[in-house]
Amino acid sequence: MTVLVLAHFAVALCAAPLVRRAGPRAFVVLALPPAAALGWALCQWDVVTGGGARGESWTWIEAYDVDVAFRLDALGLLMVLLAAGVGALVLLYCVSYFAPGTRQLGPFGGNLLAFAGAMLGLVLADDLMILYLFWELTTVLSFLLIGYDSEKRASRRSALQALMVTSVGGLAMFVGFLMLGHLAGTYRISRILEAPPAASGTLSAALVLILAGALAKSAIWPLSMWLPNAMAAPTPVSAYLHAAAMVKAGVYLVARLAPAFADVAPWRPVLLTLGTATMLLGGWRALRLNDLKLVLAYGTVSQLGFLIVLAGDGTYNTGLAAASMILGHALFKAPLFLVTGIVDHATGTRDLRRLSGVGRSLPWVCAVAAAAAASMVALVPMLGFVAKEAAFDALLHGTVAERWVLALIVVGSALTTAYTLRFLWGAFARKPGVPDTPVHRVGPAFLAPPALLAVGCLLLGPGVGWVADLFEAYAAQYTAPAHPYHLALWHGFGAALWLSVLAWAGGIALFLGRDAVVRTGRMLAWPKADEWFGRTVLGLERTALQVTGSVQKGSLPAYVATVLGVMLAGLLAVLATDRPWHGVPAPRAWDTPWQAAVGALTCACALMCLAVQRRMKAAVLAGLTGYGTALLYVVQGAPDLALTQFGVETVSTVVLILVMRRLPVMFGETLRSWRRTAAFLLAFGGAAAIACAVWLAAGARTADPAGAAMTEETAHHGLKDVVATILVDFRAWDTMGESAVLAVAVLGVTSLLYVHRRQGPAPGPPPALPGGVTAWSLASRAIRVPDEFLQTAPERSWLTAGDTLAPEHRSVVFEVIARLVFHPILMLSVYLLLCAENLPGGGFVGGLVAGVALMIRYLAGGRHELAAAAPVHPGFFTGLGLALSTGVALLGLADGTVLHAWTWHGHLPLIGDWHMGTAILFDLGVYLLVLGVVLDVIRALGSKIDQHTEYRAGLALAADGAGEGTR
């Protein structure tokens, strides 16, 4: 089963090159995985119908008892037949539906096949978490398929609406799954159904959440608005997703859980009420529309309501009827959608008011549609008749509530007959006063898929005994009554048959009075669910804007004060209610007097920040507090942390100063005394609260520290640096994730700098100026050294691009220092990288040190000097580092570990013995990633800003030159 599911995705990845090479004929190859799944399922027929099941599983998340488990039983086999069988025919239908050269056909085919694989995994899943995984995968893929024609606003809106409705329902369902798994003690569906948890308020809440996801997926009122709008998708998508596969997922989930939970409140009332309402509202709406696909879409909504009633009723007979109707619905609704695609393809329209005489021009297409429609209205001898007779009989012999539901379902069946007749009349009949619609020829390959499905409706009516064992195997999960219902084509002239006759007669009457129905519908028109959805989304957007505007004022002090205030209030509330200080030993003021001295100096720097008026002084003092923290690490005996803190503080200070260049020299706002006092009290209180929380947390430790075990394990491998080993071995996945977050955050921030409207657009082609002079050349003149200075300057520069700076911006001493220390700092960074196993260092601090070397080159020589020192794009280092770390971590899984999967040893002349493990390669990836991040920050906040400044200076000079020329 796992191989079959993965085969769908593997072939889907090859869809684009296949379509490029073979065009629409590539869909024949894409149809092979679902065809193979269909063949495999049929081979399991005897086992499953005999009451057995096939299963396979392997552990995924052992701590939470989550397994990748698949299981094929009666209901699973039925759904596999639909997902695989209909999926294969729809893919073959695409060969004729799409013309060669159709835009984005490769991705479309891959998404459609991947959806078939996701649906296969969904119906075979025997674990709630795996089911949810495939559930959401179908949601994402359906979004891509509905929005296939992304250039149209309607397609984009429909895809987004389907995604929002189904994903929100899916999130609610996920919470319900977690609650249900917690109550049952397992997430295995088969085990939950064998021993369901006892009824309780928590179980009822879990079932309501699960039903929210199921009802949203199956377009049950009031969440049915997305399905008709999804008709913006191509017809193959409508036939597969919205008739046979995706919308059946909710029905499948209800049918899967009903044997265990149908008697738990409020399962049955919710499903019977909403299912009946959906059947009536969908059928009534279908009578008033003129687009053939919309008629079928609302008809699908109506039929889904009927299916939800049967699947959720939770008795043997209704379960038998539900299983047969699930198959019958797929066999008649999918061909009707496919026929609609043929009519649209052959005539160029789906408007039933413009279609006339198509039945005479396309008699075989009309015959296929008529056969499928006969099954939809439950005419003898179609499978739809057998299924609906079973449903009527089951509800007729049920409770009083079920009989009331039956009465409404008969009305819904009359509506089904009416809109089915309207569909056939609108698509194929010759209408008075409407000229015959021009039609082009339809090939047999185009008609074959819907014809096969329609033939299935016809054959399985008299031959329902061939599949009755499968339906009965599913119904056997319920308690069988004394006289269970048996599926057969003819049960005589009973009450169920007369109810069907009543539904047919009512439907014919509604069809004949269709004009009056349309007028009545207009008179009784109420706000559509789609309109309510639009208003709700618009209201949420406006509310979000108002809330955001009220709290996001652009004031950093306000944000910091809010964070500190909330944190302080929360900590004080905990301290006041729990009183956790009892039994906690008193804190020590310091271990050595040096700690007190460094701490006092650090606090003094922090307090001095409050008194300065110049921004640069404040930045330097803030940096000194960070260096003071690093000195505390040194005194405490944590050189690794001290090195990292020194590197981070150096880079942060330089970045802060680069940002300060764009701000005024002095703080423009003078705080009033009460605000300064409030800020001081809030900051002091927040700091004291944090210190108190750290003291309490450290003093309340009850478990043994993990450091001893890690130190022992590190020594066992012959290593000494425990911190570095933790980062690149014991907690390597955490390090990899944090590195990825760092890279994404920095790339996002630096990208925003380029698109911010106050920053202005990036310099484009230089404007043309009189005499062939460009703004760039003027800018160069503004920043380059004057000729008279060059005559007295030395011939050799210490830096490659030092002469690009104006004299007042140069420092010979700084240039000399930069030239002398650049390469030693780089060598130091490599040393810190390689010595991390036994000495302080590591990839992170090594990358920071290398970044500091590049910062020195930039500060000494400007952006051109940085470009000469690092000619490679920062994204190269970032991407290479992340790829290397991820690749090494994944490679280590080959032998069940994270890292240290391989180690190399050797002997080199002059160097001696050496050894290297994959942890070093992992650390090298961190080194490159950090280097790329730092380089990206320097280029964004340094070089790019310098480039804008030079460009604007050139424009100013050009404007001055133009003014002089005019005068």
Side-chain angles (χ1 to χ4, degrees):
M1 285 181 270
T2 305
V3 174
L4 286 173
V5 174
L6 294 178
H8 285 71
F9 295 101
V11 178
L13 293 175
C14 305
L18 285 174
V19 172
R20 281 197 300 267
R21 180 176 295 272
R25 290 177 296 178
F27 281 92
V28 176
V29 179
L30 299 181
L32 293 178
L38 176 63
W40 170 81
L42 291 175
C43 292
Q44 312 301 319
W45 184 276
D46 292 338
V47 175
V48 173
T49 54
R54 297 286 190 188
E56 63 181 49
S57 66
W58 50 276
T59 302
W60 181 23
I61 307 176
E62 184 176 2
Y64 293 96
D65 193 25
V66 176
D67 301 329
V68 178
F70 296 108
R71 186 172 184 269
L72 181 73
D73 57 4
L75 182 60
L77 178 58
L78 173 61
M79 297 302 297
V80 169
L81 294 178
L82 299 185
V86 178
L89 291 176
V90 168
L91 287 166
L92 292 175
Y93 174 87
C94 291
V95 176
S96 302
Y97 182 82
F98 292 104
T102 302
R103 184 183 61 86
Q104 296 294 319
L105 190 56
F108 172 84
N111 291 334
L112 188 58
L113 179 58
F115 180 88
M119 194 67 195
L120 183 65
L122 189 155
V123 299
L124 290 175
D126 191 34
D127 188 278
L128 292 176
M129 297 298 104
I130 301 302
L131 189 150
Y132 175 74
L133 176 67
F134 285 108
W135 185 283
E136 290 304 299
L137 190 57
T138 60
T139 297
V140 174
L141 291 170
S142 66
F143 165 77
L144 297 175
L145 290 168
I146 296 170
Y148 163 70
D149 193 357
S150 58
E151 294 182 357
K152 295 182 179 179
R153 180 183 178 186
S155 296
R156 298 194 303 271
R157 183 183 184 276
S158 299
L160 183 60
Q161 186 184 70
L163 179 68
M164 291 178 62
V165 174
T166 55
S167 61
V168 169
L171 289 175
M173 184 188 71
F174 178 67
V175 177
F177 280 169
L178 294 176
M179 297 170 65
L180 179 59
H182 177 74
L183 291 174
T186 179
Y187 290 99
R188 291 291 288 270
I189 299 175
S190 55
R191 297 174 187 170
I192 294 175
L193 297 181
E194 290 174 1
S200 63
T202 304
L203 179 61
S204 297
L207 293 179
V208 169
L209 293 173
I210 293 172
L211 289 179
L215 299 181
K217 198 78 157 184
S218 286
I220 302 301
W221 186 87
L223 303 175
S224 56
M225 82 293 294
W226 70 265
L227 178 58
N229 290 336
M231 294 302 110
T235 297
V237 176
S238 302
Y240 187 44
L241 275 70
H242 310 131
M246 176 182 174
V247 292
K248 289 290 199 314
V251 177
Y252 162 77
L253 183 59
V254 170
R256 173 64 72 192
L257 299 179
F261 302 110
D263 294 326
V264 178
W267 178 282
R268 188 175 281 114
V270 168
L271 293 180
L272 295 185
T273 302
L274 295 182
T276 306
T278 303
M279 186 177 187
L280 296 176
L281 295 174
W284 176 255
R285 180 66 176 155
L287 293 177
R288 299 159 46 205
L289 299 171
N290 298 314
D291 187 306
L292 294 178
K293 279 184 71 173
L294 285 180
V295 172
L296 292 178
Y298 278 98
T300 301
V301 172
S302 179
Q303 291 290 313
L304 288 171
F306 185 29
L307 288 172
I308 283 291
V309 169
L310 297 178
D313 190 51
T315 64
Y316 178 92
N317 289 338
T318 53
L320 185 67
S324 58
M325 182 56 74
I326 288 173
L327 178 61
H329 178 265
L331 291 181
F332 64 67
K333 190 54 68 71
L336 287 175
F337 272 108
L338 297 179
V339 164
T340 301
I342 293 175
V343 172
D344 188 16
H345 200 277
T347 63
T349 182
R350 298 195 306 261
D351 192 336
L352 57 82
R353 294 167 298 185
R354 298 170 55 190
L355 293 169
S356 181
V358 177
R360 294 191 178 186
S361 302
L362 302 174
W364 287 107
V365 176
C366 181
V368 170
S375 184
M376 186 160 68
V377 300
L379 291 181
V380 182
M382 313 303 289
L383 177 61
F385 171 78
V386 177
K388 188 165 285 188
E389 287 283 291
F392 283 177
D393 187 85
L395 294 175
L396 186 63
H397 295 89
T399 62
V400 175
E402 289 172 331
R403 294 193 186 100
W404 278 106
V405 170
L406 174 60
L408 297 176
I409 285 178
V410 171
V411 176
S413 299
L415 295 173
T416 301
T417 302
Y419 67 70
T420 303
L421 293 174
R422 189 165 185 268
F423 171 84
L424 292 175
W425 167 81
F428 301 105
R430 174 170 287 174
K431 303 177 182 64
V434 180
D436 285 356
T437 306
V439 176
H440 67 71
R441 180 180 174 274
V442 175
F446 204 179
L447 186 59
L452 288 174
L453 294 170
V455 169
C457 294
L458 178 61
L459 294 180
L460 291 180
V464 69
W466 303 338
V467 293
D469 291 343
L470 179 63
F471 303 148
E472 292 171 358
Y474 164 71
Q477 299 179 81
Y478 301 95
T479 302
H483 302 286
Y485 187 87
H486 295 285
L487 293 173
L489 178 63
W490 186 254
H491 284 274
F493 292 94
L497 178 62
W498 292 116
L499 290 176
S500 296
V501 173
L502 179 61
W504 297 331
I508 294 172
L510 287 172
F511 171 70
L512 295 177
R514 54 188 176 274
D515 294 335
V517 169
V518 172
R519 290 194 299 268
T520 304
R522 291 172 181 170
M523 294 173 58
L524 300 178
W526 54 78
K528 303 175 184 177
D530 187 43
E531 295 178 357
W532 282 106
F533 175 83
R535 294 175 183 176
T536 302
V537 172
L538 182 60
L540 287 175
E541 291 178 353
R542 291 176 175 175
T543 303
L545 288 174
Q546 292 175 355
V547 172
T548 303
S550 62
V551 298
Q552 297 294 324
K553 299 294 187 180
S555 173
L556 184 59
Y559 300 156
V560 174
T562 302
V563 172
L564 288 177
V566 172
M567 180 194 68
L568 181 60
L571 289 176
L572 290 177
V574 172
L575 293 176
T577 55
D578 292 346
R579 302 177 183 272
W581 53 80
H582 296 292
V584 177
R588 297 193 304 272
W590 54 73
D591 292 326
T592 64
W594 287 106
Q595 291 178 336
V598 174
L601 291 175
T602 304
C603 293
C605 291
L607 292 174
M608 289 172 63
C609 290
L610 301 176
V612 297
Q613 296 297 323
R614 301 178 67 89
R615 296 181 188 272
M616 289 299 179
K617 286 185 179 180
V620 172
L621 289 172
L624 289 176
T625 61
Y627 288 120
T629 305
L631 287 177
L632 285 175
Y633 292 147
V634 173
V635 175
Q636 186 65 26
D640 274 290
L641 295 178
L643 271 175
T644 304
Q645 180 65 25
F646 278 124
V648 170
E649 200 60 44
T650 301
V651 173
S652 301
T653 302
V654 174
V655 169
L656 184 59
I657 291 175
L658 291 176
V659 173
M660 293 294 183
R661 295 185 304 166
R662 310 292 294 176
L663 299 175
V665 176
M666 308 292 289
F667 288 108
E669 181 182 3
T670 302
L671 296 179
R672 297 180 180 179
S673 58
W674 70 268
R675 290 188 60 183
R676 189 183 298 273
T677 302
F680 175 81
L681 293 176
L682 182 60
F684 183 80
I690 293 175
C692 183
V694 171
W695 163 57
L696 293 174
R701 181 194 297 271
T702 57
D704 295 331
M710 292 185 177
T711 303
E712 181 181 352
E713 184 68 17
T714 303
H716 175 72
H717 289 283
L719 306 176
K720 298 179 180 179
D721 193 335
V722 182
V723 174
T725 305
I726 291 174
L727 293 177
V728 301
D729 192 350
F730 303 152
R731 304 290 298 272
W733 287 105
D734 289 344
T735 303
M736 186 176 65
E738 293 165 359
S739 301
V741 171
L742 173 65
V744 172
V746 171
L747 291 176
V749 171
T750 54
S751 299
L752 288 175
L753 292 175
Y754 303 147
V755 301
H756 198 286
R757 59 186 177 90
R758 287 181 290 185
Q759 178 67 30
L769 298 174
V773 179
T774 64
W776 284 122
S777 63
L778 290 173
S780 299
R781 296 176 188 176
I783 63 172
R784 290 185 65 85
V785 183
D787 293 339
E788 58 272 14
F789 181 81
L790 290 175
Q791 293 173 0
T792 60
E795 296 181 358
R796 176 179 175 84
S797 298
W798 284 97
L799 298 178
T800 304
D803 59 350
T804 62
L805 295 177
E808 62 271 18
H809 295 157
R810 296 185 62 183
S811 171
V812 177
V813 175
F814 194 13
E815 291 181 11
V816 173
I817 294 175
R819 180 63 180 247
L820 293 177
V821 304
F822 176 71
H823 295 95
I825 292 178
L826 287 181
M827 293 300 296
L828 174 62
S829 71
V830 175
Y831 172 78
L832 292 173
L833 168 66
L834 297 179
C835 74
E837 289 187 343
N838 296 296
L839 294 172
F844 189 85
V845 67
L848 287 174
V849 171
V852 170
L854 294 176
M855 279 186 171
I856 293 175
R857 289 285 292 268
Y858 165 73
L859 295 174
R863 66 183 182 91
H864 296 291
E865 184 66 26
L866 178 63
V872 182
H873 192 278
F876 174 78
F877 291 118
T878 304
L880 180 62
L882 187 59
L884 183 59
S885 297
T886 306
V888 171
L890 294 177
L891 189 64
L893 293 178
D895 64 349
T897 62
V898 178
L899 293 172
H900 281 292
W902 291 277
T903 304
W904 298 272
H905 302 271
H907 181 83
L908 291 175
L910 302 179
I911 295 180
D913 295 333
W914 63 271
H915 75 278
M916 183 177 68
T918 48
I920 296 296
L921 297 179
F922 180 89
D923 221 11
L924 177 59
V926 176
Y927 175 93
L928 294 174
L929 185 144
V930 173
L931 175 60
V933 166
V934 175
L935 182 57
D936 197 18
V937 171
I938 300 173
R939 291 186 61 178
L941 298 176
S943 297
K944 291 296 182 180
I945 293 179
D946 292 342
Q947 188 177 0
H948 279 275
T949 303
E950 296 167 11
Y951 184 74
R952 290 171 180 171
L955 292 179
L957 288 176
D960 293 341
E964 290 291 338
T966 303
R967 288 191 291 272

